[in-house]
Amino acid sequence: MSHDVYKCKVISKKEIAPNIIDVTVESKEIASAAMAGQFLHVKCGDDISMPLRRPISICDAEDDKLRFIFEVKGRGTKNLLLIDDEIDIMGPLGTPFTIDNDKYKNPAVIGGGIGTYPLFKLTKELDNPTVYLGFRSEAQVTLEDEFNSVCDMTVVATDDGSYGYNGYAIDLLKGKIENDVVDIIYACGPKPMLKAVKALAEANNIPCQISLEERMGCGIGACLTCSCETKTEGTWKYKRVCKNGPVFWSTEVVL
Amino acid sequence: MNMKVNIAGVELNNPIITASGTYGFGREYGEFYSLNELGAICVKGLTLLPREGNPPPRITETYGGILNSVGLQNPGVEAFIEYELPELKKYTCKVIANMSGNTIEDYCKMAERLSDSDVDMLEMNISCPNVKAGGVAFGTNADTILNITKEVKKYAKKPLIVKLSPNVTDITEMAKAAEQGGADALSLINTLLGMAIDIKTRRPILANVTGGLSGPAVKPVAVRMIYQVRQCTNLPIIGMGGVTTGDDAIEMMLAGSNAIAVGTANFMNPYACVDIKKGIVDYMEKYNIDDVNDISGKVIVK
């Protein structure tokens, strides 16, 4: 089995933007098995008051260091923020991104908001990717320098124009497709963005992988609660985001 | 120390059963530990034909519990028998097939088909709160329970467990009706019908609007109902509803259950079933109890 439950010592924890927490923990087992696009199922409190773990994407994994970045949003993540010693983590889980540097010479990576973080490890492992990162405003722009250090081309866009390109990251990707070669697209972000990326990729016949999120139960494929609609009929019309995903080919899913 | 329990003539190695719907067909949790650790697996709710289930979101956390509305997504009884059952039969744990249907005829057909398979027991789910037809509609009226149990018994050649809904005024009436209809055992409680609203969007969190509440929050309701049912029947009882620790399991057995099922706790801790079993052993050692059956129904009420 490539995944299990571990008590992971917190090595560092910092707020890199308002309510955005960057955590590195120690876990040789998870870090060595982790693949880009996989996620962690994180316990945020005690069993009785918070029965569900929270799925959080892996941002990076190297040697015995495992890094994830989350947004403080509800009571689970509020409580997770308070854990300073050891975090109970199940992982690595889910189907990772498909990386094939021989087949795809011109990959484009597009992320929005907290959906940019799962793309970091992917970007490190791709040859020559062009990366588009979209945020609401300058205050939310994070990891730009780090993306820049692992690829040749990182472009940041903000919805309000306060930093970088004034508009949506997908407009930049659209321009790239019109003027240049893109042979695969990787995307993670808010649903409206994923819908637009899926439509753009399919209109141009470009293979596209998207990473989805959904409210989750077990995290390993048993409980069938984190479903997403696919084009399959019958029992597997709703596939499991935790097991069949979180990464899907855009043509598989209905958003 | 004896951990074996007997439910309607079927001997389980220990009183730990997985609750239907939380454990799939055992494949995923079987990666964490051997399924030989379990007394029995109660598999994901089956229907005669495959079902696609409800649209997402299907789950949300509430204080001390979860609400779910999966809507019985499953591959159907034939696919279960062909692809899942042979895998489960490699282990020493017993296999309980959980059946749901829209009509009495559905349940009868499934009971007949599953009786010819290698499953050890049948659990009739007449208490699913997440499907429109059938399900809970059968399980909240004593006359209907009596009738459906009687009919299904005609086709069930394996012990028939009737799973009771807590969404009733008097659980003992339902238990007595099932017994009168010929049930070989009872399991309780299914989930409590609940609802959660996102106050920012003013929309229900679950796409199905309502869902079934499970987890630690429902345990006192389960313990009370098991206690009440124990007073009115001698049928074996599989107790469930929020069992998270060995202590919870002991409490439920003291209330009157002969075995316990673990559901939501699996999500918190994939080793929950193993840990709960160990917790039961610890309690027995501490109190010098040689036989786990000596705990059942031993609550002292003066």
Side-chain angles (χ1 to χ4, degrees), chain A residues 4 48 52-54 220 224, chain B residues 28 58 61 64 268 271:
Chain A
D4 208 337
I48 304 303
L52 291 183
R53 290 167 179 269
R54 302 298 191 272
I220 53 174
L224 311 183
Chain B
E28 294 80 14
R58 293 173 171 182
E61 185 180 273
M268 313 165 186
Y271 294 99

Side-chain angles (χ1 to χ4, degrees), chain B residues 216 218-224 226-227 239-260 276 279-280 283 295-300:
Chain B
V218 311
K219 199 190 72 179
V221 178
V223 170
R224 182 266 293 181
I226 291 161
Y227 170 72
M240 70 191 81
V243 173
T244 304
T245 65
D247 289 358
D248 294 337
I250 297 292
E251 184 181 354
M252 209 160 261
M253 293 186 83
L254 288 171
S257 57
N258 303 83
I260 59 97
I276 289 167
I280 295 174
Y283 175 87
I295 304 167
S296 289
K298 293 296 162 58
V299 59
I300 300 160

Side-chain angles (χ1 to χ4, degrees), chain A residues 96-113:
Chain A
F97 286 111
T98 300
I99 298 175
D100 188 340
N101 288 324
D102 294 328
K103 189 171 177 188
Y104 304 112
K105 302 285 186 195
N106 301 285
V109 175
I110 180 166

